[in-house]
Amino acid sequence: MFIILAVSISGCEQDEQTIENNDEYYVKYVVKSRSIYSLSVNAEVKMDYGSNKSFEFNKGNWELIVGPVRKGFRAKCNAEFDTSKNLARTYIDVEIYVSENNGPFALKANNFSSEVRMSAFETYLIN
């Protein structure tokens, strides 16, 4: 009887690990930029395990969804205005959302500021 119980417990633990390892996540990167100047914004995001990709867009809001990824994925987003000058009234924010197993996206990390700035960076580890 003891052997059967041990096998049952071992079997349950293995099933839970298998289910946990099959979880899929999607990451949504959001960049919000505001400026009175006609500037473009560069965003670099982590696409998968080891690759980054850069995007350029006009000021305003921009978003990108990547995935599926697994636990242990470190989402990263760096965004900056394309200029070498320090300009007044220039704002930029970064948000990282995560969806688990096709569920709704939830905000996991953000870098908001009401201060004038030319760039913002954020990272989030899915664990």
Side-chain angles (χ1 to χ4, degrees):
M1 189 136 177
F2 177 76
I3 294 172
I4 294 172
L5 182 60
V7 170
S8 288
I9 291 173
S10 176
C12 290
E13 288 176 9
Q14 186 176 16
D15 289 343
E16 288 175 12
Q17 282 181 338
T18 302
I19 291 170
E20 183 178 356
N21 290 337
N22 287 332
D23 288 343
E24 289 186 335
Y25 300 87
Y26 288 85
V27 176
K28 179 167 60 170
Y29 299 106
V30 177
V31 176
K32 296 179 179 177
S33 64
R34 302 169 307 285
S35 177
I36 61 171
Y37 306 100
S38 180
L39 302 171
S40 62
V41 177
N42 295 315
E44 182 177 79
V45 299
K46 186 162 185 185
M47 297 295 290
D48 55 30
Y49 300 93
S51 71
N52 295 329
K53 189 166 183 179
S54 295
F55 299 89
E56 184 176 333
F57 60 97
N58 292 327
K59 66 181 179 181
N61 295 342
W62 174 86
E63 67 180 56
L64 175 73
I65 297 173
V66 299
V69 297
R70 302 270 184 211
K71 279 190 177 182
F73 179 78
R74 181 171 298 279
K76 296 179 184 178
C77 182
N78 184 45
E80 61 187 2
F81 281 100
D82 185 21
T83 181
S84 60
K85 299 176 183 175
N86 211 358
L87 304 173
R89 294 196 275 175
T90 303
Y91 308 89
I92 194 162
D93 299 320
V94 173
E95 303 170 351
I96 297 176
Y97 295 81
V98 174
S99 166
E100 181 178 357
N101 296 322
N102 291 318
F105 281 97
L107 179 64
K108 296 296 185 177
N110 63 63
N111 186 338
F112 295 126
S113 178
S114 59
E115 301 294 319
V116 171
R117 61 183 180 171
M118 299 299 293
S119 65
F121 174 80
E122 191 57 72
T123 183
Y124 177 74
L125 175 65
I126 297 174
N127 55 15

